[in-house]
Amino acid sequence: MFFHRHFARLALLLMVVSAVFGGLLMRWTASGWGSRLGPPEQQQRAELERSIREAQEVVVENYVAETPPDQLTKAAIQGMLRVLDPHSNFFDSKEFQEMRTEQHSRFYGIGVSIARRHDRVYILATIENTPAARAGLRAGDAIIKVDDESATDWTTRQVLEKVRGERGEPVSITVERLGVPKPLTFSIVRDAVPLPSIRTAFMARPGIGYIALSGGFNTTTEDELRRAMNELTAQGMQSLLLDLRGNPGGLLPQAVSVADMFLRRDQKIVAVRGRQGYSGEEAREYRAKNTAPFEKPVVVLIDRNSASASEIVSGALQDHDRALIVGEPSFGKGLVQRVFELPFGAGLTLTTAKYYTPSGRCIQRSYTSGLLYAYYAHQAPEETPTGEAVATDAGRTVYGGGGITPDIIVKPQTFSAVQSRLSDATFAFARHLAAGLVPELVNYRIERTDYRHQLRDSDFPITDKVVAAFREFLKTDARFATLESAVTPNLDFVRNQIRQHLATAAYGTEAGFRVQLMTDPQFLRAIESVPQAVELARRAWLVTETGQRR
């Protein structure tokens, strides 16, 4: 038993050191760090290297089967990094390129949003000015083939992997479309598909602007947000709802720039601290430079998937009493990763520091249990915070050590098992409505997607006649026949789902998202909280004028 454990450790060291440290050691020695090793440490390193060579011979000569070295190496490196923390990571060349691409707000594909529903992977929406939209693909099309390979049993992920590829390369998509007797095949040339930070921006109520900054913090985030705020200000915005829910973070400079839009000059945004003696470029304190910040009331929405850069922004605005925070406690990702480019196109993100809010709160949630599932599943802080209590500029109590705790905690909208099945049924029914196949409701037929249309309350009313037709649809479709009795107790849900699917097909994902927001408890509570944000903004500027913690 001892031999097997010892052998496993040596094999792991072999793969890790040969794959990673071989590349990093040259930099390490060149930088002068290697010269800091004394004779005992140098001897230990020599012994380790000898053990690794011996272990390599054992692996090559005795392992029961041939295993691809790249898979073993990747797994070994990832295992090493997991000992450190959950966010240090290794990327092979393909993954590293994908990460870089996402940071630049684009990838190469055809421009569709897809998901598997009951029997197929369906197109939920096409993105404006992308190859899919120009070719004529529509929301509701069922994907049955990709490049002549049957896709009927594929997962959403499998379809995505097949339709993405190199820019300029063609891909063939075959779909089934309701109302069309034969499958349709489209030859589409892959091109850049935008991945904007801002999902939508509109006036949620008279005087109340709403911006969904949910697409990460990438190279275009600041420009996108500034443009959206200017457009809403021109429409009479007097207060802002900034939605950071689901935003996983991204580039630190962009987070600093976003926070800078709302803070007065020299107010602290975030401090980045590494281990003692660490002098990396990230180890510094960031302060606002803006001489003309946005001074109107702000409500920020966060949830358990708001992480990293999202937490920097929400934490800075909360500490300076510049925004009222509504939603759930955030993820608690306050570790700073530095990107190291490795040979052959691979990359390494290594934690080198931690984020601290202006009041001194550490954003990072505990990961000492070592259980990755529990960490990423976010067995989250309870509604009663347990971290260290600190004070905001105006003296409000906030807590550290577990992400950002909202000022007003609101649980998210959740679907029951029955509602999840009803969602599939409403999607199937909306396909028939959009295709003009529901008798006496042909006026719901959708010929094309009009992305420029601004959704109105009068668009696609879900009348009693539509609900009655939905009930009949359930009775005639064996997949959903048992759901008819669930319609009445879930009537509001059914109405909203049908309208959301129709709005998405007719006007794009932004319109469908707006319909969804109308029943979102966190969004609705944020609107109700605007008067509190008004008072908070007044107090924030008063404290700033009289002198506040920097």
Side-chain angles (χ1 to χ4, degrees):
M1 182 64 72
F2 170 80
F3 169 78
H4 290 301
R5 289 199 302 267
H6 186 60
F7 168 75
R9 290 172 185 154
L10 289 176
L12 176 62
L13 286 171
L14 159 70
M15 292 180 288
V16 169
V17 174
S18 63
V20 180
F21 292 164
L24 295 181
L25 186 59
M26 295 178 63
R27 303 180 190 178
W28 179 67
T29 304
S31 68
W33 295 355
S35 63
R36 300 178 188 175
L37 290 179
E41 290 85 358
Q42 291 178 357
Q43 181 178 352
Q44 290 175 4
R45 187 174 70 180
E47 291 175 355
L48 175 62
E49 291 172 349
R50 184 168 58 253
S51 296
I52 290 172
R53 287 194 298 271
E54 293 172 358
Q56 182 176 20
E57 294 175 4
V58 173
V59 172
V60 171
E61 295 176 6
N62 297 284
Y63 188 65
V64 65
E66 292 186 7
T67 306
D70 57 338
Q71 293 182 15
L72 292 174
T73 301
K74 181 177 178 181
I77 298 171
Q78 290 172 331
M80 172 187 68
L81 295 173
R82 287 293 173 264
V83 173
L84 304 177
D85 65 78
H87 297 292
S88 292
N89 209 348
F90 170 78
F91 302 87
D92 61 28
S93 57
K94 179 181 178 182
E95 294 166 338
F96 192 57
Q97 181 59 42
E98 288 178 352
M99 182 187 74
R100 291 299 205 190
T101 298
E102 289 178 2
Q103 287 181 342
H104 288 82
S105 309
R106 63 180 59 235
F107 66 89
Y108 300 130
I110 63 173
V112 291
S113 172
I114 65 175
R116 186 170 183 89
R117 289 183 176 270
H118 37 268
D119 59 340
R120 296 283 193 278
V121 173
Y122 290 88
I123 295 176
L124 304 184
T126 56
I127 301 172
E128 183 179 13
N129 293 326
T130 60
R134 291 191 291 268
L137 287 174
R138 295 184 188 176
D141 286 346
I143 299 175
I144 58 174
K145 286 185 181 180
V146 179
D147 284 336
D148 292 327
E149 291 186 63
S150 175
T152 55
D153 295 326
W154 287 3
T155 63
T156 302
R157 180 67 183 175
Q158 287 174 303
V159 175
L160 283 175
E161 289 176 350
K162 289 291 185 178
V163 299
R164 290 183 178 181
E166 293 297 323
R167 187 175 197 171
E169 289 188 352
V171 59
S172 174
I173 309 290
T174 301
V175 301
E176 287 181 351
R177 179 175 295 172
L178 286 179
V180 178
K182 294 182 179 180
L184 302 173
T185 299
F186 299 83
S187 181
I188 305 173
V189 177
R190 298 180 178 97
D191 201 351
V193 176
L195 288 172
S197 293
I198 293 178
R199 181 173 184 175
T200 186
F202 63 96
M203 294 299 293
R205 298 285 189 277
I208 302 177
Y210 171 84
I211 298 176
L213 201 168
S214 55
F217 286 74
N218 52 54
T219 55
T220 64
T221 301
E222 178 187 3
D223 293 338
E224 290 180 47
L225 180 58
R226 197 175 300 280
R227 183 165 55 250
M229 290 174 63
N230 288 339
E231 290 174 356
L232 293 179
T233 298
Q235 297 176 43
M237 178 174 66
Q238 296 301 314
S239 55
L240 170 65
L241 308 183
L242 181 63
D243 194 345
L244 297 177
R245 292 177 298 172
N247 190 314
L251 303 177
L252 172 61
Q254 289 290 319
V256 171
S257 296
V258 167
D260 194 11
M261 293 185 188
F262 302 95
L263 300 176
R264 288 191 173 176
R265 187 175 181 83
D266 202 41
Q267 286 187 307
K268 187 188 295 185
I269 295 174
V270 66
V272 185
R273 305 173 194 162
R275 69 186 186 193
Q276 187 174 5
Y278 176 71
S279 58
E281 62 182 10
E282 303 95 338
R284 56 174 291 191
E285 189 175 273
Y286 295 83
R287 291 180 176 270
K289 300 177 181 179
N290 197 351
T291 56
F294 180 83
E295 298 190 353
K296 294 173 182 177
V298 180
V299 177
V300 173
L301 291 99
I302 61 173
D303 64 9
R304 300 195 190 284
N305 295 314
S306 303
S308 188
S310 300
E311 296 172 297
I312 290 174
V313 173
S314 53
L317 270 54
Q318 186 180 50
D319 279 4
H320 292 302
D321 301 288
R322 186 59 196 88
L324 193 73
I325 313 297
V326 174
E328 295 178 287
S330 61
F331 184 86
K333 197 276 187 184
L335 301 179
V336 183
Q337 278 74 52
R338 182 178 176 185
V339 178
F340 293 87
E341 294 187 16
L342 301 178
F344 308 108
L348 186 73
T349 56
L350 187 67
T351 296
T352 55
K354 294 182 179 181
Y355 292 131
Y356 294 83
T357 72
S359 66
R361 292 184 285 168
C362 180
I363 291 174
Q364 180 60 42
R365 179 163 49 93
S366 174
Y367 51 85
T368 54
S369 71
L371 300 175
L372 281 181
Y373 174 78
Y375 179 78
Y376 281 107
H378 200 193
Q379 308 299 330
E382 298 298 329
E383 294 189 3
T384 302
T386 58
E388 180 184 359
V390 296
T392 67
D393 290 350
R396 297 185 304 136
T397 300
V398 292
Y399 298 87
I404 304 302
T405 300
D407 302 302
I408 300 174
I409 293 181
V410 183
K411 293 182 178 180
Q413 188 176 35
T414 57
F415 288 0
S416 66
V418 169
Q419 288 175 332
S420 295
R421 294 179 61 203
L422 280 170
S423 180
D424 280 346
T426 57
F427 175 77
F429 175 67
R431 289 184 72 219
H432 283 75
L433 272 179
L437 300 179
V438 180
E440 300 182 11
L441 291 173
V442 292
N443 55 314
Y444 284 77
R445 180 182 176 87
I446 298 170
E447 297 288 348
R448 61 184 180 85
T449 304
D450 181 1
Y451 299 98
R452 298 301 176 182
H453 179 87
Q454 293 297 312
L455 185 70
R456 300 184 296 260
D457 291 342
S458 58
D459 290 329
F460 297 111
I462 307 304
T463 63
D464 291 343
K465 189 174 183 179
V466 173
V467 174
F470 176 63
R471 291 179 186 274
E472 289 300 315
F473 173 80
L474 295 178
K475 294 176 183 177
T476 58
D477 193 313
R479 298 170 298 175
F480 310 121
T482 61
L483 290 174
E484 201 280 329
S485 61
V487 173
T488 298
N490 294 282
L491 187 56
D492 290 341
F493 174 82
V494 166
R495 290 180 184 274
N496 184 266
Q497 285 284 298
I498 295 173
R499 186 165 186 257
Q500 181 183 337
H501 297 315
L502 291 172
T504 300
Y507 310 128
T509 55
E510 182 176 328
F513 180 64
R514 292 191 191 186
V515 174
Q516 177 187 337
L517 282 175
M518 295 305 106
T519 59
D520 182 339
Q522 293 175 336
F523 171 79
L524 297 175
R525 185 66 177 88
I527 291 177
E528 295 174 3
S529 303
V530 167
Q532 291 173 257
V534 172
E535 175 59 21
L536 187 64
R538 186 192 67 79
R539 291 171 58 192
W541 297 131
L542 180 63
V543 170
T544 303
E545 293 295 337
T546 57
Q548 84 289 349
R549 177 177 55 252
R550 293 291 183 176

